[in-house]
Amino acid sequence: MNNNLKDILTEVLVFPYDKATIESLSEACKTYAEEISLPEYEACVLHLCLDIPDTSFIKAINETTKRTFPVQVYRALAGYVVGLVLSTDQEGVDELLYPLALRNVLKCQQPSSAGIINKCIDSSRFDAIESYWHKNAKIPAIEPLDLLKNIYDKDSWADLSLDIEDQFEGIKSLAKYYCRSEFEKCYSAKTFQPNQEAYAFMNNVAQDLASRSWLYASEEPVEVFKNLNVSGSLIALSTIKTRLQGSDVKIYTNIEKTSVFRRYIYSNDYHEIGQKRISPLHFGIAVFYELLYEYLKSECYE
């Protein structure tokens, strides 16, 4: 990534600003990035990818620099801020939420944002999404290994000579193994029928995966979708919207702004993405990650 503000601004300016202006804008963006909240970051992502002006961000830049700039400059600055935020190390669930918010919107980015994105976003930052998933889906080995042997033929915990606190992690692993087994059993029997609507089917699968009480029942959510073997040609989102709203799929109104597919289908937003074409497989995966983002954000921020 070439996260150099002067280079980024060349995407929207014919004549670059002088050094003092660049430094002033850079410092304003760095200050904003250091104190940014998740909603403010989401607004910058939408400004960058979909060119939806973030008035709060624009006001903050103007107040810090004591001047105003052409509208296209603020879009480049929003991208610069997004790149700065992603280049810092997040902790806990934020290490997934920040790159995932961007990836969820990037799938519908406007062509005019490509140059800014290429210059300010380090694509390796998206690796954190899969890393976070694998780390949380991993089931620790049961230690000591004789826990199963000791507990298998007993009628109650009172019959054991084991301390429950000492054995808690092993018991937790057993619970996860059970959830994983039940999940695999359920999905081995889940098949797509020829008379079903493919996009409604994949939408419902995405909702099921994201709503399970133990979310990380699958180590490879993308593989779960692939194993369903739902084929189909690419169809415009406007057609998918018509099909879903005519089926038994539930209607949602409280949807995150970064959930662009679901916002378009259920809240009548983002009309400009209606002609985007997508297959049932990639639609299901995209909706799953939108729902995952909403679930984790609601668990940790609300």
Side-chain angles (χ1 to χ4, degrees):
M1 177 187 68
N2 181 15
N3 202 352
N4 179 290
L5 184 54
K6 182 178 180 181
D7 290 342
I8 292 169
L9 287 173
T10 61
E11 291 295 324
V12 297
L13 292 174
V14 176
F15 301 104
Y17 288 132
D18 58 81
K19 183 178 179 181
T21 302
I22 295 291
E23 289 179 351
S24 176
L25 285 171
S26 179
E27 287 305 310
C29 288
K30 288 176 181 177
T31 299
Y32 194 83
E34 287 172 357
E35 301 173 354
I36 202 167
S37 66
L38 184 57
E40 290 170 337
Y41 170 81
E42 293 171 334
C44 282
V45 167
L46 293 171
H47 195 159
L48 166 64
C49 299
L50 302 183
D51 202 15
I52 300 173
D54 177 5
T55 54
S56 295
F57 171 67
I58 293 171
K59 181 181 179 181
I61 295 298
N62 293 348
E63 289 178 348
T64 303
T65 60
K66 308 301 182 186
R67 59 177 291 188
T68 60
F69 302 88
V71 292
Q72 64 268 31
V73 169
Y74 296 108
R75 188 180 190 182
L77 296 178
Y80 184 56
V81 166
V82 170
L84 288 173
V85 174
L86 288 180
S87 67
T88 61
D89 293 328
Q90 277 86 35
E91 297 181 353
V93 74
D94 283 348
E95 98 182 85
L96 172 62
L97 287 177
Y98 279 82
L100 186 54
L102 175 60
R103 197 176 79 171
N104 281 349
V105 180
L106 269 180
K107 61 180 181 278
C108 291
Q109 72 180 74
Q110 294 182 355
S112 55
S113 67
I116 303 172
I117 291 168
N118 290 338
K119 288 186 175 180
C120 64
I121 306 299
D122 182 354
S123 60
S124 69
R125 292 296 167 175
F126 295 125
D127 296 343
I129 297 172
E130 301 308 322
S131 296
Y132 182 92
W133 185 268
H134 292 310
K135 181 172 68 176
N136 284 274
K138 183 179 180 181
I139 302 178
I142 300 175
E143 295 180 358
L145 292 176
D146 63 355
L147 172 61
L148 287 172
K149 188 189 303 181
N150 287 327
I151 202 172
Y152 188 78
D153 60 351
K154 300 297 188 294
D155 296 323
S156 70
W157 191 262
D159 295 335
L160 299 173
S161 60
L162 301 174
D163 185 283
I164 194 167
E165 289 296 330
D166 293 340
Q167 302 300 324
F168 177 74
E169 288 303 319
I171 295 170
K172 186 176 180 180
S173 290
L174 286 177
K176 289 186 175 183
Y177 273 116
Y178 172 78
C179 289
R180 181 72 53 81
S181 175
E182 289 298 298
F183 172 84
E184 292 173 349
K185 187 189 304 181
C186 170
Y187 272 80
S188 66
K190 191 180 289 291
T191 56
F192 175 67
Q193 303 300 321
N195 62 336
Q196 288 181 289
E197 162 51 52
Y199 290 90
F201 177 79
M202 294 301 261
N203 185 77
N204 290 339
V205 169
Q207 290 183 34
D208 176 53
L209 289 182
S211 66
R212 287 181 171 260
S213 56
W214 182 44
L215 184 62
Y216 300 96
S218 168
E219 290 186 46
E220 297 284 353
V222 172
E223 289 303 314
V224 171
F225 284 99
K226 289 181 178 179
N227 291 338
L228 294 171
N229 295 316
V230 179
S231 60
S233 58
L234 278 63
I235 294 178
L237 278 173
S238 58
T239 303
I240 297 171
K241 179 175 182 175
T242 300
R243 291 184 180 182
L244 290 187
Q245 291 188 345
S247 69
D248 61 352
V249 177
K250 295 179 181 178
I251 300 299
Y252 298 86
T253 55
N254 186 23
I255 299 174
E256 291 291 334
K257 291 182 178 179
T258 55
S259 296
V260 288
F261 281 4
R262 300 182 65 248
R263 246 346 238 221
Y264 170 74
I265 291 170
Y266 301 118
S267 298
N268 295 318
D269 287 340
Y270 308 141
H271 300 289
E272 65 276 12
I273 72 173
Q275 295 310 304
K276 180 177 178 60
R277 298 169 67 83
I278 190 168
S279 69
L281 171 62
H282 290 100
F283 177 76
I285 294 170
V287 170
F288 167 74
Y289 276 110
E290 289 183 355
L291 288 164
L292 175 65
Y293 182 85
E294 293 182 12
Y295 170 81
L296 292 177
K297 184 179 177 182
S298 67
E299 287 289 298
C300 300
Y301 282 89
E302 297 176 5

